[in-house]
Amino acid sequence: MADSIPLTGPIDLTSTPKARPLTLEVLHAWVTTVDHKKIGLMYIGYALVFLVIAGLEAIVMRLQLAVPENSLVSPQVFNRMFTMHGTTMVFFVGMPILFGFGNYVIPLMLGARDMAFPRLNAFSFWIAAFGGLLLYFSFLGGDGLYGAGTAPDVGWFAYAPLTAKIFSPGHSTDYWTLGILLSGIGSIGTALNIVTTIICMRCPGMKLSRMPLLVWLYFVTCCMVFVAVSPLTAAQIMLLIDRYLGGHFFDTQAGGSAVLWMHFFWIFGHPEVYILVLPAFGFANEIIPVFARKAIFGYPAMVAASVAIGFISLSVWAHHMFTVGLGPGANTFVALATMIIAVPTGIKIFNWIATLWGGNIRFTVPMLFCAAFLFQFLIAGLTGIMLGAAPFDWQLSGSYFVVAHFHYVLVGAIVFTLFAAFYYWYPKMSGRLMNETLGKWHFWLFLIGFHLTFDFMHIPGILGMPRRVYTYQLDRGWGIWNLIVSIGVIFQVLGVGCFVCNLLRSYFKGAVAGPDPWDAWTLEWSTDSPPPVYNFAAIPSVQSRRPLWDLKHPEDPDSKYEL
Amino acid sequence: MSGFILSEFGHFGLRMDIAHQWLLLVPSWLTEGRTSIFAPKATPAQLVFGLSMFVLAIAAAIFLATGGILAYVLIRYRRRATDSEHEPPQIYGSNQIELSWTVIPIIIIVVLFLTTARVIFNTEYATKPDAALDVVVIGHQFWWEFRYPKLGIVTANELHIPVSDPQHPTPTYLEMSSADTDHSFWVPQLAGKTDVIPNRVNVMWIDPQSPGLYLGQCAQYCGTQHAKMLLRVYAQSPNDFDAWVAEQRQPAKASTVDGQAVFLRNACINCHTIAGTIAKGRFGPDLTHLAGRDTIASGAVQNTPENLRKWIDNPDRMKPGCLMPAMHLNDRDLTAVVFYLTTLR
Amino acid sequence: MSTISITPRDQSWITPSRGVVGILCLIAAESAVFIIFVVAYIFYLGKSISGPSPRDVLDIPIVGTICLLSSSLTVYLAVGALRRSKVGLCSLWLAATVLLGGIFLAGTALEWRQLIYKDGLTIRTNLFGTTFYSLVGLHAAHVVVGLVMLALALVFALRSSVTEANAERLDVLSLYWHFVDAVWVIVFTVVYVLGR
């Protein structure tokens, strides 16, 4: 190897200590930044705030539903709660937090100094952030006929014609539409940025087949964003035309079709949930090998499976419409396509298990969360298969079984891997390790709460409880199950409380992490913690998928064995 | 394909027996609920139940196998204090293993899919017998309108149908559409749900085989009172059903009570119909035989004079956000109207 | 501590141009938006309950179409000229592009004036009106954005502020313009040919 220079840290030629900056200077730096790391952190911070807010909305709902015929909140308030909870969690927690991690980690993993379009990066963040503020302004600013309005109450999928002016007077629905429209613009901007960064900014030697799997998964995700978020944007423009220009896109009185909105929404909605879950797979793909001390098993198959999932997910949206009466031909085709997704998804699960097989598993907090993820994602996938069997779905759709299923994926798979990602990359982002003990408390409390709530939530669905009901009859027999579900929330709140404390405390008191606390193998661990603003002193050059493994094991480098 | 199509109602033979055997495996707390999807009482629900047991069995097997291996791996390969610092052997993949766990799931999926397809076609392509009863269902915010076109009957919220004898099937065919937003007709013990959509007609059928009351409710969010748009399906023996039909076809008996005058001179007639009077409103439920119903407010409360009084005085108190306005009748008028309505058998 | 090889940047490590990849991504997203509007248009053909139908009121916009499609050629020539450092020639072709695009927009405006005032077709008349104005209007909006950017480029070229080094950026803009033209081909076929 010619011209190798031992690299111990960033090259810093300044010798005078800098004066402490003013608060205003700090704020200004953050607001005007185009640095992918700062933008990533802003995305993550923003998402965490909305996670708490949407969590409060869920708590209100669970308190109301804990017993039958409850009158804790009025139906109007409850309907706003579930609408805002769903909308916030998908658009202002899920998307930002995943884009935030992607923003932070991807350029580092690629050996790049920043994203391809730093100013677009900042613009995308701020416009998406504004969308969330606009949505929440509805609590204060909405008005309309009979005092109706304030926050939207049409459900996160806002089926037409409930969203028509006559059924939703006032501006509540418009806050929903505009807030998400802006978020969508931000999403497309960031996705464009990520795809361009991946294609154009890889360091020398990093062929596509040598990229970390997280990067591959974000690549597929962002391609899906182009194809999936745009239909929602289009549908919302149509809705605005209906509501304000007298259009008839979804106006059934003029011959318009309510089903057309469903098609357009779910053409977005189904790929959207894969957009949310694929980055979670990406986190698992990075974390599990490091703590199992083995390379990921079957890298090419993992890439192929991810791409396959991306493609197939674009064709199955109508499984949200099995009860609409599309006809046996359509129902059958969609049932088949939905079940087929199980094949690449299964491949991923099996590959993760094979990665753990023969390994030397260290059960740090990130690994604990990933272990739980594996079990929970397996179950979520299986309940998904059940829902894909169309006649079974005729009973389960629109019931609490579906709510349980998708929370199993969103919380059991995505939130769990997100927690793992937090504990894993927090040392890189802040230079400090998070506290392991507090982390374990977080894990076990949240695990118990998650299972109490979402395991038992399947049962009211089987017993016939529909979703989006502000209360239910005493004689249905759903009371005891709803009570257990609501109790689980307490444990989740405690777990998240531990997490937030850990985040804050570790920043000031955590053990210093150094560049590579986990003995990992991808490029972000080769630079300082936190990385300097230019990421790397010199752009690295790689010969394999795990450049740091090669450096640590020069006698047994990956480049000799990779398929 | 002919073997796939269900050509006669009730012709399950083997499948019925299998369904009953599956029921033994399901714990009672899942089947005892009055709206449990695992307590089928009509053919569509039974078809779904059979499929669901099959799917559940496969899912359980996959979970036990995969989850078992995962648990084993996590325990067996955990790091122990005595382990050396060397990294374990790095294995990058194996074509044979990966192929096998691609092929096996494909086979499972094919089996699952073919079973599913068969149930889809059996339900959706079932031939309609001549003796079937036709009911037109119209979903409203937040109540159900039921019209029997061939019998000349209009009623609301409580659906009366005859039971169906498997030897001579008399299923009820529901032609459904909505007057406003999306709804969904769901009575779990009788059938899966079917959405009720404006500007679109969806058809479903039910054939309960034993008399009784089957409960359900709207299953597609339709607005503020979606939660209290309940369904009550009364399956009756042929005699009882005929008696009910005869009663329903009568217009309201001529009445001289004060209440009728109050009703007819107030805005009630804008929304409600009472056959045989000038009240011909279609926005709200038909009240001609209101006293014969067990519940009011779409199944939300029992049909008693007290509840009726509270409802008419201020519906929003019992069902906040429902579309019937408070009538603001004075005490005397209110009492009279309530009494009048209780005479409408 | 670990070491990382610092080799001089490998001259053979070439990745695609950021601008081109970026604009292609944007084109992918915008295409998806247009496809939804086209699907809505096709879905609602023949379903209007009342009011004028396409056959009644639509005339094929031949002149506008020829102008718009030719403008793709002129912008392509503009990029070629800039690559050869012929800034003056580039300005000429850019001006032609803007002019041709302007004629297309004017044609659309005249068409709409006739539809609204003579034929009584507005966005709220019926399903045809809603889907027609939305689809054609969305396309026209994209034309406007493109023309603004092209006009800006023209101004820079006329002031001699551009050089051959900026050719790639002009190329990116021209890709957007080709996209706008391609969408018009589809809209034209669906609305004026197949749909009438």
Side-chain angles (χ1 to χ4, degrees):
Chain A
M1 237 181 305
D3 301 327
S4 290
I5 308 171
L7 194 69
T8 53
I11 302 169
D12 185 357
L13 299 172
T14 58
S15 54
T16 51
K18 290 191 285 216
R20 268 195 76 204
L22 300 170
T23 313
L24 209 56
E25 281 177 344
V26 171
L27 269 174
H28 179 262
W30 280 89
V31 168
T32 57
T33 186
V34 294
D35 174 18
H36 72 100
K37 298 184 287 299
K38 285 212 166 70
I39 294 176
L41 289 173
M42 286 198 287
Y43 263 121
I44 293 173
Y46 177 90
L48 283 177
V49 169
F50 275 103
L51 177 70
V52 171
I53 296 176
L56 289 169
E57 286 156 357
I59 290 173
V60 169
M61 288 194 278
R62 282 322 316 172
L63 286 172
Q64 164 70 7
L65 290 174
V67 295
E69 306 270 21
N70 203 357
S71 53
L72 185 70
V73 292
S74 70
Q76 288 90 341
V77 169
F78 186 90
N79 296 343
R80 286 176 207 140
M81 288 294 109
F82 70 70
T83 303
M84 292 297 275
H85 170 80
T87 306
T88 306
M89 284 296 195
V90 171
F91 294 101
F92 301 109
V93 179
M95 300 292 268
I97 207 163
L98 295 168
F99 282 142
F101 271 99
N103 241 311
Y104 197 102
V105 166
I106 291 175
L108 287 168
M109 280 189 167
L110 294 179
R113 294 210 184 282
D114 205 318
M115 296 282 254
F117 303 113
R119 282 171 295 189
L120 177 65
N121 207 2
F123 169 76
S124 302
F125 168 72
W126 288 108
I127 202 169
F130 180 66
L133 297 178
L134 187 62
L135 177 68
Y136 272 84
F137 182 71
S138 64
F139 276 114
L140 301 171
D143 61 13
L145 230 42
Y146 314 124
T150 75
D153 61 352
V154 289
W156 92 279
F157 38 86
Y159 272 178
L162 185 59
T163 47
K165 260 285 197 218
I166 42 167
F167 295 113
S168 288
H171 297 300
S172 52
T173 304
D174 303 314
Y175 281 105
W176 179 87
T177 310
L178 289 169
I180 299 183
L181 205 61
L182 294 175
S183 156
I185 293 174
S187 298
I188 294 180
T190 306
L192 187 161
N193 223 333
I194 291 179
V195 168
T196 310
T197 306
I198 292 175
I199 294 183
C200 305
M201 316 256 304
R202 285 165 286 130
C203 63
M206 190 176 284
K207 306 190 286 193
L208 288 174
S209 60
R210 288 190 189 147
M211 296 194 308
L213 279 174
L214 182 148
V215 179
W216 266 111
L217 279 154
Y218 267 90
F219 180 65
V220 175
T221 302
C222 291
C223 290
M224 287 170 68
V225 167
F226 301 137
V227 180
V229 173
S230 306
L232 179 64
T233 307
Q236 286 171 322
I237 295 174
M238 294 177 181
L239 180 63
L240 284 171
I241 291 176
D242 271 15
R243 283 176 63 86
Y244 286 101
L245 295 180
H248 306 293
F249 280 107
F250 310 114
D251 176 7
T252 48
Q253 305 289 322
S257 165
V259 177
L260 195 65
W261 171 270
M262 293 186 204
H263 278 298
F264 290 160
F265 186 85
W266 289 115
I267 286 176
F268 152 77
H270 191 78
E272 168 67 14
V273 306
Y274 283 92
I275 288 169
L276 291 173
V277 89
L278 288 182
F281 294 163
F283 301 146
N285 279 325
E286 297 305 318
I287 297 172
I288 291 177
V290 167
F291 294 108
R293 306 311 302 162
K294 280 182 65 205
I296 192 84
F297 186 93
Y299 175 101
M302 286 297 233
V303 173
S306 311
V307 174
I309 291 175
F311 265 109
I312 304 175
S313 75
L314 298 172
S315 68
V316 300
W317 77 87
H319 67 219
H320 299 269
M321 298 163 64
F322 277 143
T323 57
V324 169
L326 296 175
N331 286 344
T332 309
F333 168 76
V334 173
L336 176 63
T338 305
M339 291 182 183
I340 286 181
I341 293 200
V343 176
T345 314
I347 287 175
K348 283 182 156 292
I349 298 183
F350 301 141
N351 277 11
W352 283 318
I353 296 180
T355 305
L356 292 164
W357 186 290
N360 200 282
I361 307 171
R362 280 161 45 201
F363 280 104
T364 56
V365 175
M367 186 63 215
L368 283 171
F369 277 106
C370 283
F373 151 75
L374 287 170
F375 280 107
Q376 284 152 193
F377 183 63
L378 175 63
I379 296 174
L382 292 171
T383 57
I385 294 289
M386 293 177 208
L387 292 163
F392 202 178
D393 186 75
W394 293 335
Q395 289 281 30
L396 297 172
S397 152
S399 79
Y400 261 85
F401 190 92
V402 176
V403 181
H405 160 75
F406 68 69
H407 280 95
Y408 232 86
V409 194
L410 290 168
V411 184
I414 297 176
V415 170
F416 271 73
T417 50
L418 266 170
F419 283 143
F422 264 102
Y423 284 89
Y424 185 65
W425 276 294
Y426 183 93
K428 176 56 56 183
M429 295 175 181
S430 68
R432 310 268 188 161
L433 288 165
M434 288 180 78
N435 184 286
E436 276 287 296
T437 311
L438 207 48
K440 290 196 163 114
W441 274 97
H442 168 203
F443 171 73
W444 289 107
L445 281 169
F446 197 77
L447 186 76
I448 293 170
F450 168 78
H451 283 282
L452 268 177
T453 297
F454 296 109
D455 288 6
F456 287 95
M457 194 185 273
H458 291 86
I459 298 175
I462 292 174
L463 293 179
M465 180 173 178
R467 51 192 289 201
R468 303 171 152 191
V469 290
Y470 75 97
T471 190
Y472 50 94
Q473 306 290 93
L474 185 56
D475 63 355
R476 297 287 210 250
W478 302 334
I480 176 68
W481 309 110
N482 273 286
L483 186 60
I484 298 176
V485 167
S486 294
I487 289 175
V489 171
I490 302 174
F491 291 88
Q492 291 177 66
V493 169
L494 290 173
V496 173
C498 288
F499 173 63
V500 173
C501 284
N502 204 347
L503 279 175
L504 296 170
R505 192 175 168 276
S506 305
Y507 186 76
F508 300 103
K509 296 217 176 84
V512 172
D516 185 14
W518 309 117
D519 197 3
W521 305 309
T522 39
L523 281 176
E524 76 268 31
W525 305 105
S526 72
T527 184
D528 234 33
S529 299
V533 90
Y534 45 82
N535 290 353
F536 303 96
I539 299 291
S541 162
V542 303
Q543 276 82 43
S544 77
R545 288 175 194 144
R546 297 189 296 171
L548 297 195
W549 171 276
D550 289 357
L551 285 169
K552 294 172 187 172
H553 303 269
E555 77 292 349
D556 182 28
D558 266 3
S559 39
K560 255 207 308 190
Y561 297 106
E562 263 169 13
L563 299 164
Chain B
M1 271 301 266
S2 60
F4 275 45
I5 307 292
L6 186 66
S7 54
E8 292 165 32
F9 275 84
H11 175 65
F12 302 112
L14 193 59
R15 194 182 293 122
M16 257 299 225
D17 295 345
I18 292 177
H20 280 151
Q21 282 163 20
W22 281 117
L23 269 167
L24 294 173
L25 289 173
V26 182
S28 62
W29 43 265
L30 274 182
T31 59
E32 267 162 9
R34 299 197 59 189
T35 47
S36 165
I37 66 173
F38 288 162
K41 297 279 193 299
T43 309
Q46 266 148 349
L47 287 171
V48 170
F49 178 70
L51 176 68
S52 52
M53 289 296 112
F54 181 63
V55 173
L56 270 170
I58 293 186
I62 296 175
F63 174 69
L64 289 171
T66 314
I69 296 176
L70 177 58
Y72 168 76
V73 164
L74 287 170
I75 298 171
R76 162 82 175 78
Y77 294 106
R78 73 191 185 283
R79 163 175 253 176
R80 278 151 257 231
T82 49
D83 284 338
S84 71
E85 284 304 312
H86 285 140
E87 310 278 32
Q90 302 292 301
I91 308 203
Y92 300 90
S94 155
N95 284 340
Q96 297 94 315
I97 299 181
E98 298 188 53
L99 191 64
S100 68
W101 69 45
T102 309
V103 168
I104 295 175
I106 290 181
I107 296 175
I108 298 177
I109 295 297
V110 167
V111 168
L112 258 179
F113 166 67
L114 289 176
T115 327
T116 303
R118 180 201 279 215
V119 175
I120 294 177
F121 279 83
N122 276 353
T123 317
E124 301 206 64
Y125 272 160
T127 351
K128 182 177 172 182
D130 295 326
L133 171 68
D134 287 315
V135 176
V136 169
V137 177
I138 302 174
H140 294 260
Q141 281 180 323
F142 303 99
W143 60 280
W144 298 94
E145 178 178 351
F146 300 121
R147 308 179 80 88
Y148 300 65
K150 294 192 191 125
L151 301 175
I153 295 175
V154 177
T155 184
N157 297 321
E158 298 185 0
L159 178 66
H160 288 249
I161 58 175
V163 293
S164 177
D165 176 6
Q167 309 304 327
H168 307 284
T170 51
T172 303
Y173 268 69
L174 305 173
E175 265 187 37
M176 312 194 292
S177 187
S178 167
D180 38 43
T181 58
D182 296 336
H183 304 276
S184 194
F185 187 97
W186 192 27
V187 181
Q189 290 189 323
L190 298 183
K193 65 185 65 67
T194 302
D195 286 359
V196 176
I197 299 170
N199 200 23
R200 181 189 183 88
V201 177
N202 278 340
V203 180
M204 64 178 280
W205 56 273
I206 47 181
D207 63 343
Q209 275 141 38
S210 42
L213 168 61
Y214 300 100
L215 301 178
Q217 62 191 92
C218 176
Q220 184 63 265
Y221 178 64
C222 49
T224 314
Q225 275 298 336
H226 160 66
K228 291 202 174 165
M229 194 170 151
L230 307 178
L231 280 163
R232 298 169 74 85
V233 179
Y234 292 82
Q236 300 178 297
S237 68
N239 287 342
D240 287 343
F241 179 69
D242 290 339
W244 178 82
V245 169
E247 193 184 68
Q248 293 289 311
R249 288 168 95 162
Q250 308 300 320
K253 294 195 259 305
S255 173
T256 52
V257 302
D258 285 343
Q260 181 182 52
V262 173
F263 185 93
L264 293 179
R265 71 166 177 261
N266 269 290
C268 318
I269 61 173
N270 287 339
C271 292
H272 293 287
T273 298
I274 297 186
T277 71
I278 59 165
K280 290 190 179 9
R282 295 276 303 269
F283 188 72
D286 186 301
L287 300 179
T288 313
H289 299 282
L290 178 64
R293 295 186 205 149
D294 290 337
T295 59
I296 58 170
S298 324
V301 293
Q302 292 297 308
N303 185 2
T304 63
E306 297 79 47
N307 283 339
L308 207 45
R309 186 192 181 86
K310 279 193 233 170
W311 173 257
I312 297 170
D313 186 44
N314 189 359
D316 207 69
R317 261 205 315 252
M318 296 173 102
K319 213 166 151 179
C322 84
L323 297 181
M324 173 165 158
M327 297 313 291
H328 297 305
L329 299 176
N330 64 46
D331 229 21
R332 200 190 67 90
D333 281 351
L334 190 53
T335 311
V337 161
V338 170
F339 178 71
Y340 168 59
L341 291 173
T342 60
T343 66
L344 293 175
R345 283 235 144 253
Chain C
M1 280 282 110
S2 46
T3 65
I4 300 190
S5 73
I6 302 178
T7 49
R9 189 158 190 118
D10 203 341
Q11 287 307 100
S12 64
W13 180 253
I14 302 180
T15 50
S17 129
R18 287 184 296 144
V20 170
V21 173
I23 201 73
L24 289 176
C25 291
L26 184 66
I27 287 173
E30 295 281 316
S31 302
V33 176
F34 273 105
I35 288 177
I36 296 297
F37 277 92
V38 169
V39 165
Y41 186 86
I42 296 176
F43 182 78
Y44 281 135
L45 273 175
K47 295 219 173 76
S48 295
I49 299 180
S50 62
S53 76
R55 196 167 302 135
D56 297 339
V57 297
L58 286 184
D59 291 318
I60 303 189
I62 304 233
V63 172
T65 304
I66 293 179
C67 285
L68 191 66
L69 297 183
S70 320
S71 69
S72 255
L73 178 64
T74 54
V75 79
Y76 171 76
L77 291 170
V79 173
L82 189 58
R83 282 205 207 280
R84 297 186 316 258
S85 296
K86 299 214 166 93
V87 181
L89 190 58
C90 173
S91 305
L92 185 69
W93 288 124
L94 278 178
T97 310
V98 173
L99 180 67
L100 290 167
I103 296 177
F104 170 83
L105 274 184
T108 304
L110 288 171
E111 179 197 31
W112 284 21
R113 197 175 70 160
Q114 170 171 316
L115 284 172
I116 294 172
Y117 291 111
K118 261 193 61 202
D119 299 312
L121 180 74
T122 64
I123 201 170
R124 57 172 65 194
T125 308
N126 57 7
L127 288 171
F128 165 53
T130 302
T131 52
F132 172 81
Y133 283 108
S134 308
L135 177 58
V136 176
L138 187 70
H139 176 260
H142 282 73
V143 172
V144 167
V145 168
L147 282 182
V148 166
M149 299 301 288
L150 286 165
L152 262 176
L154 176 61
V155 164
F156 291 142
L158 286 174
R159 290 172 39 166
S160 300
S161 314
V162 298
T163 66
E164 182 268 332
N166 307 119
E168 192 190 294
R169 292 215 174 155
L170 192 63
D171 189 28
V172 167
L173 178 57
S174 78
L175 280 174
Y176 172 79
W177 191 250
H178 293 315
F179 162 68
V180 168
D181 284 1
V183 171
W184 180 248
V185 170
I186 308 227
V187 171
F188 176 81
T189 311
V190 166
V191 173
Y192 294 97
V193 176
L194 299 175
R196 278 190 341 143

